[in-house]
Amino acid sequence: MNIKIGNNNKISSSTIANTVNGNMEFPKKSWYEKHPIIGGIIVSVIAGVILIFSFWADIVKFIEGVL
């Protein structure tokens, strides 16, 4: 199946598609946006370490005493 357009398939002064902008700039992403799973793991480990501290027992006793 041959398609012939114009003079011996030579296209001149023709528009085949709409105007295409070749200057596509992508916004720069932060590290956390690039790696959300790794970032979530790091945040959960930090939260776990903070919750291990012993002063939370005093806070829980205080809350139980108020309620």
Side-chain angles (χ1 to χ4, degrees):
M1 178 174 173
N2 293 333
I3 298 174
K4 292 190 177 186
I5 301 172
N7 185 11
N8 291 332
N9 289 336
K10 294 179 183 175
I11 301 171
S12 63
S13 301
S14 298
T15 303
I16 296 177
N18 292 337
T19 304
V20 177
N21 293 333
N23 190 11
M24 297 179 65
E25 295 180 12
F26 296 104
K28 188 158 178 116
K29 293 183 178 180
S30 66
W31 186 88
Y32 189 77
E33 289 174 333
K34 290 180 186 177
H35 310 286
I37 295 174
I38 297 171
I41 291 171
I42 291 171
V43 169
S44 63
V45 167
I46 292 171
V49 168
I50 291 171
L51 291 174
I52 289 175
F53 294 133
S54 62
F55 66 85
W56 290 107
D58 298 333
I59 294 173
V60 169
K61 288 178 186 177
F62 174 76
I63 292 172
E64 288 174 348
V66 171
L67 297 177

